[in-house]
Amino acid sequence: MFLVDWFYGVLASLGLWQEVKILFLGIDNAGKTSLLHELKNEFIWKTSIDGYTMLLPYRNYENHPTQHPTSELLSIGKMKFQIFDLGGHQIVRHFWKVYSAKVLFAVVKREARMRYLKPVPQFWSSIKTLCNFDQI
Ligand SMILES: Nc1nc2c(ncn2[C@@H]2O[C@H](COP(=O)(O)OP(=O)(O)OP(=O)(O)O)[C@@H](O)[C@H]2O)c(=O)[nH]1
Ligand SMILES: [Mg+2]
């Protein structure tokens, strides 16, 4: 671990190591926001109907659809990741074209795979067109 930290430290001091920008894309309800909170190790307290209070992963929270792109900065050792969580609903997909990044992370929920069968070709062609795929 020390060697890895040292290595990234040297790269950073030479200006060769920069923040990595990552886009989380996926259709609505795929779990992008939940994943982002889990990467940040965020948990929520939830009280069950029989009165027990439990600490649960963020995904068990009744999240609301993402209306506007949000970004979070995560650090792992000397590595810094700026993660953009772009909403997946049709009405907010126009934001996708504004963003480009070296790393694209497509979030797909296994339980909802039937929902993807229809949108998948459109999803990838949107990504290619809207995010200027050649630069990703
Ligand atoms: N089963 C299961 N459900 C999950 C998981 N992650 C998130 N969810 C649930 O999926 C639903 C949608 O999660 P979000 O994280 O809001 O999805 P999103 O991709 O950000 O959706 P938009 O903001 O609408 O684009 C929520 O009800 C979560 O509780 C998971 O790993 N497994
Ligand atoms: Mg969201």
Side-chain angles (χ1 to χ4, degrees):
M1 202 61 203
F2 168 77
L3 267 181
V4 174
D5 282 350
W6 174 83
F7 177 70
Y8 285 120
V10 171
L11 288 183
S13 65
L14 293 173
L16 296 175
W17 182 255
Q18 292 172 351
E19 206 173 273
V20 181
K21 191 172 151 189
I22 302 178
L23 296 188
F24 274 14
L25 285 187
I27 65 169
D28 49 287
N29 224 27
K32 301 176 291 296
T33 305
S34 305
L35 179 62
L36 182 56
H37 285 274
E38 288 197 50
L39 285 172
K40 288 178 66 195
N41 270 330
E42 285 181 351
F43 291 81
I44 45 112
W45 289 103
K46 191 167 185 176
T47 308
S48 65
I49 26 176
D50 45 1
Y52 289 103
T53 305
M54 299 163 285
L55 195 58
L56 294 170
Y58 183 89
R59 80 169 82 96
N60 296 80
Y61 179 64
E62 305 285 322
N63 343 34
H64 299 291
T66 303
Q67 306 285 337
H68 301 284
T70 55
S71 93
E72 299 280 349
L73 204 57
L74 291 184
S75 295
I76 301 173
K78 292 274 190 294
M79 297 164 66
K80 285 192 175 59
F81 302 92
Q82 190 177 19
I83 302 183
F84 288 86
D85 173 19
L86 311 182
H89 281 83
Q90 188 73 46
I91 202 158
V92 294
R93 287 182 198 164
H94 62 273
F95 284 120
W96 295 0
K97 64 173 175 283
V98 184
Y99 291 84
S100 66
K102 293 232 176 334
V103 182
L104 179 75
F105 199 94
V107 182
V108 176
K109 187 190 263 178
R110 194 177 56 171
E111 293 93 324
R113 60 189 177 278
M114 290 310 287
R115 279 183 66 215
Y116 284 85
L117 291 179
K118 210 167 166 201
V120 151
Q122 293 96 316
F123 176 65
W124 286 111
S125 74
S126 300
I127 285 176
K128 281 184 197 165
T129 319
L130 297 178
C131 296
N132 197 357
F133 205 71
D134 292 342
Q135 290 181 13
I136 294 176

